[in-house]
Amino acid sequence: MALLVQKFGGTSVADPERMRAVADHVARTVRRGNQVVVVISAMGKETDELLRLANAVSDTRPGREMDMLVTAGERKAMALLCMAINDQGIPAESFTGSQAGFLTDATHTDAKILDVRPDRVRAALDAGRVAVVGGAQGQSVDHDITFLGRGGSDTTAVALAHALDAEFCELYTDVSGVFTTDPRVVEDARKIPSISFDELLEMTANGCPKPAMRSVEYARTHGVDLHVRSAFTWESGTIVTKEDDDMEQAIVSAVVHDASDAKVTIERVEDRPGIAAQIFRALADERISVDLIVQNTSEAGHTDISFTVPDGELATAMAVCEQAASSVGAAQVSGDPDIARVSVIGAGMKSHPGVAATVFEILAEHGINILMIASSAIRISVVVAEADAERAIQVLHDGFGLSEGPVYIE
Ligand code: ADP
Ligand code: ASP
Ligand code: MG
C-alpha cells in the first residue's frame, strides 16, 4: 500500500464534469490499494475572479482580508470534490490549510510555511478516508488565515508529501508533463520523461510556469520525488528526482522564456571602485530585485551598466538610478520594458563545452540580436527584444533538435 499525494490545478477541476472525472481518478487510485491525500486549487479562474472583485470593491485591500477572500476559492473546491468522491462510495473529508496543520508566518498574500503538522490528515487516512486539503493556505502564528501566494497549491502538495513521508507527489495539470519548451509557443515541444530538481528549478526560475518554483525548491531541499502529469489523459508524465551520477545527462533539456522583465541602462558612469555598490545599494533600499547585471569594458574612464528588474519595478528603478546619476557622474538613464529572457537549460552542459557558442550561432543565423548574456553551470540565458522572443525559442528548439526530446551527448 502506497501513500500518494495528488494535486489538481484549477483547469483540472474547472467545472462539475471535471470534478467528477477527478473524483473518479481518486477513487480508482484508492481501489488499487493506495492511501490518497488530495490537494486542490480553486476551480478554473476563480482566484483571478476573487482578486478582480477585491479590486472592484476596495482601494486598500488589507492583506488579512485578501487572504480570507482568496482562500475561499480552494475551500469551495475541496468541499465539492469530497462530495463527488463520497458519491463513488469512497469516504472523503475536506480540510482547510489550518486544519491540515499548515503553520505559516504572517506575511499575508505571500505567506511562508514554518511547519506542517498534519495530524488530522493522518487520522483521516488511518480511518480509511481520503483527505482533501485546500491548497495554498495555512494559519499564521497569530491564528489568522494566510495564503501562500499564486501557485501555492503545488507547494502545499510537496510539503504534505514530505510531512507524511508519501511515496510520490503527483502534480496533475492541463499538459502531460514538463515539456522541452512551452507547448503553446512551439507546436512540436516534447514531453521530458525525467528531469533533475536542479534543471527544473532553473526552468521555473527562468519562466516555466509549471510547477511553481517554490514547490520545486521545497522538493529539492527535502528530496520529494515529483510526477508532473495530465488530469485529462491520465498518461504517465515527467518524473522529477535527484540527479543521479550514473544517469546520462542531457546537454540541453529545455528552452524557456520570461517576458516579465525590463532593462535599465545607466550610461557613462565613472569607472572607479564604489560606483556599482552605490547604485545597487540604492536599489536594494527600495526593495527592488535586480537580476541580470552587465557592465561594459571601460572607455576613457567611463562605462555603461545595464541590469534587469521585474516590469512592475521599472519606473521605481529608473527613478532611483536618476537620483543616483549625478553622484556617479552618469550621462543618462534609460529603460526598456520590451525585452525577454530566453534560456537554454541542461545538466550536461557543465561538462560539455560549446553549448553557448551554438546558442549564439543559431541566433546569429536567424538575425536575432542579443542584448545581454548570462549563464550558470547548467543554463545559458540571453536577453532579446520581446518581439524576437518567440522566434528565438522556436529556432533554438529546432537548432538543438529538441523536437526529438532532450539532447544527449553522442
Ligand atoms: P495549473 O492550472 O494546473 O496549476 P498552470 O496553468 O499554472 O497550471 O500551468 C500550466 C501551463 O504551463 C500549461 O498549460 C502550459 O501551456 C504552460 N507551460 C509553459 N511552459 C511549459 C513547459 N516547458 N512545460 C510544460 N508546460 C508549460
Ligand atoms: N488558486 C491559486 C492560484 O491560482 C493557488 C493555487 O492553486 O496554486 O494561484
Ligand atoms: Mg492554469
Side-chain angles (χ1 to χ4, degrees), residues 9-11 44-45 173-174:
T11 355
K45 297 266 166 259
T173 180
D174 55 354

Side-chain angles (χ1 to χ4, degrees), residues 7 9-11 173-175 177-179 181-184 203 208-210:
K7 180 261 170 178
T11 355
T173 180
D174 55 354
V175 281
V178 178
F179 278 67
T181 195
D182 189 340
R184 289 169 299 192
M203 286 180 72
C208 179
K210 207 68 232 171

Side-chain angles (χ1 to χ4, degrees), residues 180 192 199 248-254 344-349 352 355 396-410:
T180 50
I192 303 172
E199 285 170 296
E248 205 188 353
Q249 294 171 347
I251 313 174
V252 176
S253 290
V344 169
I345 290 151
M349 71 171 74
H352 186 86
V355 179
L396 288 168
H397 195 266
D398 285 352
F400 279 105
L402 285 170
S403 56
E404 305 291 322
V407 182
Y408 292 90
I409 301 162
E410 305 262 301

